[in-house]
Amino acid sequence: MITIKPKHLCLLAMSTAQFFLAAAQKRTIEQKVDSVIKLMTLEEKVGQLNQYSGDWNHTGPITEDGEKQTQIRKGQLGSMLNVVGVEHTRDIQRMAMQSRLKIPMLFGQDVIHGFKTTFPIPLAQAASWDIPAIEQAERIAATEASASGIHWAFAPMVDLARDPRWGRVMEGAGEDPYLGSKIAAARVRGFQGKGLGNTDAVMACVKHFAAYGAAIGGRDYNAVDMSYRTLWEYYLPPFKAAVDAGAASLMNSFNDINGIPATGNNYILRTILKGKWNFKGVVVSDWGSVGEMIKHGFAADEKDAAMKAAIAGCDIDMESRCYKNNLVQLVKEGKVKMSVVDEAVKRVLTKKFELGLFDDPYRFCNEQREQSQKNNPAHRKAARELSEKSIVLLKNENNLLPLSKQTKTIAVIGPFVKSVRDNLGFWSMEWPDDSSTIVTQWEGIKNKVSIDTKLLYAKGCNINDTDSSGFAEAVEVARQADVVIMSVGEARDMSGEAKSRSSIRLPGIQEALIKAIHATGKPVIVMINAGRPLVFNWVADNIPSILYTWWLGTEAGNAIGDVLFGDYNPSGKITMSFPRTEGQIPVYYNHQNTGRPAANETDMNYVSSYIDLYNSPKFPFGYGLSYTAFTYGDIVLDNKTMNTKGKIEAKISITNTGNYDGEETVQLYIRDMVSSVVRPVKELKGFQKIFLKKGETKTVSFIISEDDLKFYNNDLQYISESGDFKLFIGTNSENVKEVSFRLLK
Ligand code: GLC
C-alpha cells in the first residue's frame, strides 16, 4: 500500500512548477522566435540561412571584405566560420547589431580535437576506449573555444569508416557502430556541457550526415552506394546517438547516397532526421555542398540547387551563396514555400536564443576568460593523460619496453623526433606560439631520462622524399647507443580532408631507414605517427617493439615519454582493423561469414579468401598490448536462455599475471547464428576498461538484454529474432572466450 507523505506532495508540487516553468521558458523562446520572424523581411530570413567563412588567421578578417561587411549590416549573413578570438568576433557582432533587427551573428569553428590545447586526433582518442576522458576533452575544447567567441563547434565527426585509404578516418572513431555511438554521445555532452546558455557551452554539430566514410575506393568526396539496411545498421547509429544526446546541429555530407546528394536528400534529412528522429536543431550544409549538387549532376544550376537543398531540409548554406542569390526569388516564384524558409529560420533563431545571444550578443566576448585559457595547466594535464591512453602497443618482444630511465646511451632517430606541428595532426588550430607550447618527442624523452643518460639524435631522412644522405649519420648514432628509438610516419597533411592515399605505406624511404638501423643489430623501438592505419609489414615482422603514436597533440612528447619509460603502461586498442595490404581493403571485424568462410588464416581452398594473402588483418579491431599480461577465465552465464523481457548476465574473471599494474579494455561481442538477414560473425555490444594491479583478479559482468540482439531486417524493422546466439568476451575481436545462449520468443 503506498502512503503519500507531505514530502511527496512537496516534491510533486516542485516538479510540477519546474515542469511548467520549463514549459513556460520553452514557450517563451518559441514565442520570441515567432515574434522576431514576424518582423523579418524575406531578405532578412534568407540572410539567416547564409553562412560565410572569415579568415581568422588574418589580423582583421572581415574589415577587409566589403561584400561581407555590407551583408552583415543588412542582416543578410546569419552565421560565419573561421572567425576566432574575442576581438574579431566582437567586431563582427557590432556590425550585426547595426542591422535593422539586430539579430546576433553565430560563430562556428572546426574544433575537432581541441582548441588552444590540442588533444590526440579522434581516431587516437577512440583507441583509449575511455568515454569519460573523451567527453572531458570536448568539455575542455568547448571551454577554450567559447572563451574565444566561438558558439558552435563543427564536431563531432561520427562517420563510420572501414577504409584507411580515406584520409578522414583520423577524425572519427573507426569501424564500429556501437563504440562510435558511445563516443558520439560523449562528444556531444562534452561540447554542450550543462546546456546551451552557459557561456562555456557550444553547439555541437554532428557530421557528416550521412555515410561519408563509405566513399568508394576510400577516395574523398566519392560516391556512396549501399543498401539502406547497411545505412541503418552501421552508418546511422552514431548520428542517432548524438541526436539523442541533444546535439544542437548536424552537418550534411558532400557525398551522394545511392545517387542522391546528402545536401538535397529528402530521405535522410526530412524522413529520418527531422521526421523519425524528430530533430529540432539546425542542419548546415558542408562547405559549398549546396552548389556542388550541380557538379553531382543533381541540380541544373544554383537556383535549382538552392531549391532542392531547402526543400530537402538543409537549413543553412555554408559558403555556396546559392541561398543568398536565389532563395528570395524561389519563394516569390512559389517554388519554395515561405513555410520552408520559416521553418529553417526558426531553427536558427531558436539556437541563437538558447545561446543567450539575443539577451547579450557579446556574452562570449570576454578578454579575461580568453586570456585564462592560454596554456591552461589543467587542460594540458588532461591532454597528456588522454594522449597516454591513446597510444597503442602493437608489439613488445622480449619486453624491450619500458626502457630504464638510467639507460646509458639512447639514440633517437627519425623525421618526427624534433618535429613540432606534425604532432598536432590535421584539423588542429594554428597558434603563433605553438612551437613554444607543443612538447616535441625529443623533449618528452629528454624530460624522462636521468642526467647520466646520453641522448643522441639523427633525423635520418625526411618524411616523404628519397634523400638517403642522412642514413650514414643515423647508423653511426645507432652504433653508439644501447637502444634506438625511432619515430616515423605520415606528415600531418597526409591524412585529413582531401588526403586519401592509394598506398598507405610509410612515406618516402622511412622503411629503408628502419632497415638500415635494424641492420646494426641494436635493439630498436619504432613509433609510428599517423592519422590512419598504415601498412608496415616488414617493420611489424622484424622490429621487436612498436608503438602506434598517431598524432597526440600539445602534450605528445610527454605522453610518449611516459609510455616509453613505463610511467604509463599503454592500454590503447585500435578501433580500425589494420590491413596487411591495400588489396585487402575493406577489412573489418564485423564482416559476414559468407557461404564459404575460410577455416583459418591459410585456407584458400574454394573459400572466401585471397590466394596470395592471409585472411586476417595485420592487427584486428580491439587489439592492443600492455607491458603486463592479462589472463581471462571462462565466461559464466546466469542463464542459457532468455526471453525478450529477460536478461542474461555474463561474468568473467581477469587476472593481471604480469609484472606491471595496468588497464585492460574487456570487450563483449555477440553473434546471431541464424536470422532473416545474415548477421556479422561478431558485433561489439559492450566494453569495460578496468585497472588491475599486478597479481590482482577482478570479475567483470555484462548484462545482455533483447536490445543488444536487435538488428534491421529486410524491411528495415529494428527487431530481434529468436534462436541461438554466441557470446564472446576477450581482449580483442579475435582473442576471445565463447559461450552460447538462446533467445526465446
Ligand atoms: C570542410 C569539412 C567540414 C568542415 C567544413 C568547415 O570542407 O568537410 O568537416 O566542418 O568544411 O570547415
Side-chain angles (χ1 to χ4, degrees):
M1 208 263 274
I2 299 171
T3 52
I4 300 287
K5 296 179 179 156
K7 71 173 180 176
H8 295 148
L9 290 171
C10 173
L11 281 173
L12 182 64
M14 275 172 59
S15 56
T16 307
Q18 280 164 336
F19 170 78
F20 283 111
L21 178 63
Q25 276 173 336
K26 191 172 178 328
R27 206 170 48 248
T28 308
I29 285 187
E30 280 166 5
Q31 285 173 332
K32 285 181 177 177
V33 167
D34 288 340
S35 63
V36 171
I37 207 161
K38 286 193 180 88
L39 301 173
M40 295 172 79
T41 65
L42 176 55
E43 286 71 14
E44 287 166 335
K45 290 177 182 178
V46 170
Q48 287 303 304
L49 310 184
N50 186 26
Q51 181 181 102
Y52 292 164
S53 175
D55 180 356
W56 77 285
N57 286 315
H58 232 272
T59 48
I62 202 68
T63 47
E64 294 169 6
D65 186 322
E67 179 216 356
K68 292 174 192 171
Q69 213 179 76
T70 307
Q71 290 186 30
I72 292 170
R73 290 201 170 95
K74 286 182 176 175
Q76 294 174 353
L77 184 52
S79 55
M80 294 190 76
L81 70 152
N82 295 331
V83 179
V84 171
V86 165
E87 183 195 351
H88 298 327
T89 53
R90 181 191 287 126
D91 286 351
I92 290 168
Q93 200 64 278
R94 282 192 179 127
M95 290 178 211
M97 289 304 110
Q98 294 165 26
S99 63
R100 188 175 73 88
L101 293 174
K102 303 185 184 338
I103 296 175
M105 179 70 70
L106 207 49
F107 296 108
Q109 185 64 33
D110 289 300
V111 186
I112 310 301
H113 51 107
F115 185 74
K116 296 274 189 202
T117 309
T118 303
F119 282 78
I121 58 171
L123 188 61
Q125 291 186 35
S128 74
W129 295 64
D130 189 328
I131 300 303
I134 292 170
E135 179 173 343
Q136 183 197 28
E138 300 302 24
R139 187 84 296 276
I140 288 169
T143 304
E144 294 182 350
S146 58
S148 282
I150 302 302
H151 308 127
W152 189 8
F154 292 147
M157 184 275 213
V158 303
D159 300 307
L160 186 131
R162 295 168 161 171
D163 189 331
R165 292 172 295 181
W166 189 48
R168 302 197 76 163
V169 298
M170 55 76 59
E171 295 177 56
E175 70 192 42
D176 181 72
Y178 179 87
L179 178 62
S181 299
K182 296 293 182 192
I183 290 175
R187 291 192 185 284
V188 168
R189 292 193 302 267
F191 279 124
Q192 300 184 173
K194 295 190 176 71
L196 300 188
N198 291 288
T199 50
D200 68 350
V202 297
M203 290 165 57
C205 182
V206 197
K207 66 188 187 182
H208 303 79
F209 195 60
Y212 184 21
I216 293 171
R219 215 172 67 232
D220 208 353
Y221 315 120
N222 202 4
V224 167
D225 198 273
M226 65 173 64
S227 69
Y228 283 129
R229 213 182 64 72
T230 297
L231 179 70
W232 278 95
E233 189 79 47
Y234 295 99
Y235 292 85
L236 291 182
F239 287 97
K240 180 66 167 56
V243 167
D244 289 348
S249 68
L250 265 79
M251 182 183 293
N252 67 246
S253 55
F254 288 115
N255 56 286
D256 70 284
I257 301 168
N258 304 334
I260 301 176
T263 315
N265 194 310
N266 203 68
Y267 177 58
I268 64 165
L269 296 179
R270 291 248 185 247
T271 306
I272 298 176
L273 181 63
K274 295 181 175 181
K276 287 180 189 291
W277 296 354
N278 193 29
F279 177 67
K280 298 298 183 192
V282 173
V283 174
V284 61
S285 82
D286 203 337
W287 186 295
S289 70
V290 173
E292 287 178 11
M293 291 199 288
I294 301 166
K295 289 206 176 86
H296 271 289
F298 185 72
D301 53 29
E302 288 195 356
K303 188 172 182 181
D304 190 32
M307 181 181 71
K308 285 172 176 165
I311 291 170
C314 176
D315 300 315
I316 293 180
D317 167 14
M318 180 196 289
E319 266 293 330
S320 89
R321 291 162 170 73
C322 292
Y323 282 14
K324 166 83 184 73
N325 298 333
N326 299 282
L327 210 40
V328 169
Q329 194 53 33
L330 284 162
V331 172
K332 287 177 176 171
E333 292 170 5
K335 291 179 179 165
V336 172
K337 293 194 184 86
M338 180 67 91
S339 59
V340 167
V341 171
D342 285 349
E343 182 244 342
V345 174
K346 284 181 180 178
R347 289 170 182 267
V348 175
L349 296 181
T350 298
K351 292 305 162 200
K352 294 185 176 184
F353 272 110
E354 287 175 2
L355 285 163
L357 295 175
F358 273 94
D359 298 332
D360 175 6
Y362 307 104
R363 63 196 306 259
F364 286 71
C365 301
N366 177 317
E367 268 87 358
Q368 289 71 33
R369 234 160 55 84
E370 186 171 46
Q371 284 311 311
S372 75
Q373 297 309 322
K374 278 191 192 316
N375 246 343
N376 182 313
H379 296 176
R380 293 183 71 105
K381 178 173 179 293
R384 179 171 179 165
E385 288 166 358
L386 185 48
S387 298
E388 291 163 355
K389 294 173 181 176
S390 303
I391 295 172
V392 181
L393 178 62
L394 293 177
K395 193 176 173 188
N396 194 27
E397 259 167 21
N398 326 314
N399 294 317
L400 176 57
L401 286 172
L403 295 175
S404 161
K405 296 173 185 174
Q406 279 69 44
T407 304
K408 197 162 167 299
T409 307
I410 302 175
V412 193
I413 298 171
F416 276 82
V417 175
K418 294 195 174 181
S419 167
V420 180
R421 285 215 168 102
D422 271 317
N423 287 298
L424 300 183
F426 200 84
W427 287 119
S428 59
M429 306 295 287
E430 304 270 350
W431 301 107
D433 61 349
D434 266 351
S435 42
S436 61
T437 60
I438 297 164
V439 182
T440 67
Q441 299 178 22
W442 173 256
E443 287 158 351
I445 293 167
K446 230 171 38 173
N447 292 343
K448 281 289 168 191
V449 295
S450 74
I451 48 169
D452 301 327
T453 300
K454 190 175 178 190
L455 283 184
L456 304 173
Y457 165 72
K459 187 176 183 181
C461 68
N462 294 316
I463 292 173
N464 192 18
D465 69 20
T466 56
D467 174 6
S468 61
S469 59
F471 278 30
E473 179 203 15
V475 167
E476 184 42 40
V477 158
R479 285 209 176 99
Q480 296 169 44
D482 300 305
V483 65
V484 182
I485 301 170
M486 297 190 74
S487 189
V488 297
E490 285 184 319
R492 66 191 279 239
D493 64 356
M494 298 177 84
S495 289
E497 182 175 0
K499 306 294 180 229
S500 296
R501 291 179 67 198
S502 64
S503 157
I504 53 174
R505 316 276 158 143
L506 285 169
I509 52 171
Q510 296 182 66
E511 184 168 289
L513 174 66
I514 297 167
K515 287 179 178 174
I517 301 303
H518 176 263
T520 65
K522 296 289 182 179
V524 180
I525 294 138
V526 168
M527 303 192 296
I528 298 178
N529 309 269
R532 56 160 56 91
L534 294 180
V535 170
F536 48 95
N537 294 316
W538 186 90
V539 174
D541 297 340
N542 293 280
I543 297 297
S545 293
I546 303 168
L547 289 166
Y548 221 73
T549 49
W550 311 101
W551 289 313
L552 297 170
T554 306
E555 284 286 332
N558 283 332
I560 285 172
D562 291 338
V563 167
L564 283 170
F565 295 93
D567 287 341
Y568 181 79
N569 180 358
S571 63
K573 292 182 179 276
I574 56 179
T575 63
M576 269 190 90
S577 306
F578 277 47
R580 293 178 182 278
T581 173
E582 293 83 357
Q584 192 177 33
I585 295 169
V587 59
Y588 45 92
Y589 88 93
N590 45 1
H591 60 81
Q592 293 170 189
N593 205 31
T594 78
R596 293 194 175 192
N600 53 47
E601 280 287 76
T602 56
D603 180 3
M604 298 169 187
N605 186 22
Y606 293 95
V607 292
S608 181
S609 68
Y610 300 100
I611 60 169
D612 56 355
L613 192 73
Y614 283 157
N615 295 312
S616 60
K618 191 68 182 176
F619 300 103
F621 175 85
Y623 176 90
L625 301 177
S626 168
Y627 291 151
T628 194
F630 298 104
T631 303
Y632 282 64
D634 292 329
I635 302 171
V636 177
L637 298 183
D638 64 351
N639 262 306
K640 296 292 272 182
T641 62
M642 64 179 271
N643 60 34
T644 55
K645 298 281 175 281
K647 296 184 188 318
I648 282 183
E649 182 176 23
K651 287 185 175 178
I652 191 165
S653 65
I654 295 116
T655 303
N656 180 341
T657 50
N659 301 317
Y660 295 88
D661 300 349
E663 291 162 296
E664 168 70 339
T665 298
V666 183
Q667 301 152 46
L668 169 80
Y669 300 88
I670 63 123
R671 178 182 178 182
D672 188 344
M673 299 310 288
V674 179
S675 48
S676 58
V677 289
V678 294
R679 311 292 307 125
V681 295
K682 283 197 185 77
E683 295 175 77
L684 181 72
K685 291 294 179 183
F687 59 90
Q688 293 183 37
K689 189 160 190 175
I690 60 173
F691 176 81
L692 288 174
K693 288 187 168 307
K694 63 182 180 185
E696 185 182 10
T697 296
K698 276 182 183 170
T699 297
V700 173
S701 163
F702 292 99
I703 301 295
I704 302 295
S705 68
E706 188 208 12
D707 240 15
D708 298 310
L709 312 180
K710 287 185 174 179
F711 62 96
Y712 288 93
N713 69 6
N714 203 37
D715 301 321
L716 294 185
Q717 297 156 332
Y718 192 54
I719 55 139
S720 68
E721 291 176 353
S722 60
D724 292 332
F725 288 79
K726 282 189 176 173
L727 183 146
F728 311 90
I729 297 178
T731 186
N732 64 56
S733 57
E734 285 182 356
N735 184 354
V736 291
K737 295 294 183 74
E738 152 185 341
V739 289
S740 300
F741 69 93
R742 177 165 294 181
L743 175 66
L744 306 173
K745 287 188 108 173

